[in-house]
Amino acid sequence: YQRRVHGGLKLISQGFPTVSQGNDFVTIEKASYLYDSIYEAIAADQSSKSSAEPIQNDKEAIPKIADTSLLKVESKLAQGGIHPLEVTAQFNPRHFIRRRIFSTESMHFNIYCMEPGQSNPLHKHSQSDEICYFVKGYGEMVVGEELVPVKTGDTVLVPKDVGHEIRNTGYGRMIVVLAQSPLPCAHEKVETVPKEVRVQL
């Protein structure tokens, strides 16, 4: 898989990625990421064609609290709990979905599911830290006044009282799991939109 930096898509071939010795081509890691992005784009296009309802980012329709229905599901473990991804992940064409997978005395563990173009509006938690792990998809995340690109496998720490927002700017679905601690974890809107400084990784 090869892509010219200034020329868009150059070549996609079957098999393992190969990389030119010059500076014109991306690394194997970025080439693999490009392949995943194209695969997601094709999957998203097929999904949109089969969906009767267009995808929206209706922030006013987002429920004020997380869906806690998973907390009522009987655990298959004598101690602890387990939920497969295909059960926890749910999507809505109107807005992103926030579900609580587990809850303890000191922590919430949630899953966020976003269709392309959807986002989790800018907010903060004045007394709680948050750690986000990106299970699937790519996009960008606002942390304070910085804007950072995120992709599958990335982990982001959001300290308490720092504004943050997750945006699915990719072509495919995004899944993020996150832990919030300590509790209670207040969900507070950030009224003043920060001047975003893009961070290059």
Side-chain angles (χ1 to χ4, degrees), residues 41-110:
I42 294 173
D45 182 63
Q46 292 175 342
S47 176
S48 64
K49 289 179 180 178
S50 61
S51 176
E53 189 173 350
I55 295 174
Q56 305 174 52
N57 189 33
D58 188 348
K59 297 180 180 180
E60 297 300 321
I62 298 172
K64 301 299 181 183
I65 59 175
D67 172 8
T68 59
S69 59
L70 286 171
L71 301 181
K72 303 173 184 177
V73 177
E74 185 177 353
S75 175
K76 296 181 180 180
L77 301 180
Q79 294 180 323
I82 182 171
H83 293 300
L85 183 62
E86 58 268 24
V87 174
T88 58
Q90 291 184 355
F91 294 85
N92 187 314
R94 190 174 178 187
H95 55 76
F96 96 98
I97 292 294
R98 176 175 59 228
R99 306 189 76 194
R100 185 144 300 146
I101 305 176
F102 298 115
S103 183
T104 70
E105 293 182 355
S106 60
M107 180 184 68
H108 284 160
F109 189 68
N110 300 335

Side-chain angles (χ1 to χ4, degrees), residues 2-146:
Q2 297 176 341
R3 177 171 69 92
R4 288 195 180 277
V5 175
H6 300 294
L9 184 63
K10 175 63 178 177
L11 171 66
I12 295 181
S13 60
Q14 294 182 349
F16 293 98
T18 58
V19 178
S20 168
Q21 296 297 321
N23 296 324
D24 286 343
F25 297 103
V26 297
T27 63
I28 291 177
E29 179 182 1
K30 290 184 178 179
S32 177
Y33 174 60
L34 174 66
Y35 172 81
D36 291 341
S37 301
I38 294 173
Y39 177 84
E40 287 186 0
I42 294 173
D45 182 63
Q46 292 175 342
S47 176
S48 64
K49 289 179 180 178
S50 61
S51 176
E53 189 173 350
I55 295 174
Q56 305 174 52
N57 189 33
D58 188 348
K59 297 180 180 180
E60 297 300 321
I62 298 172
K64 301 299 181 183
I65 59 175
D67 172 8
T68 59
S69 59
L70 286 171
L71 301 181
K72 303 173 184 177
V73 177
E74 185 177 353
S75 175
K76 296 181 180 180
L77 301 180
Q79 294 180 323
I82 182 171
H83 293 300
L85 183 62
E86 58 268 24
V87 174
T88 58
Q90 291 184 355
F91 294 85
N92 187 314
R94 190 174 178 187
H95 55 76
F96 96 98
I97 292 294
R98 176 175 59 228
R99 306 189 76 194
R100 185 144 300 146
I101 305 176
F102 298 115
S103 183
T104 70
E105 293 182 355
S106 60
M107 180 184 68
H108 284 160
F109 189 68
N110 300 335
I111 184 170
Y112 288 2
C113 303
M114 300 182 187
E115 296 280 10
Q118 293 181 346
S119 64
N120 174 24
L122 189 65
H123 64 286
K124 66 178 182 178
H125 313 292
S126 59
Q127 300 298 322
S128 304
D129 298 316
E130 180 172 298
I131 298 176
C132 303
Y133 175 74
F134 289 80
V135 177
K136 177 182 179 181
Y138 68 98
E140 56 190 23
M141 185 168 182
V142 176
V143 181
E145 294 191 350
E146 296 180 305

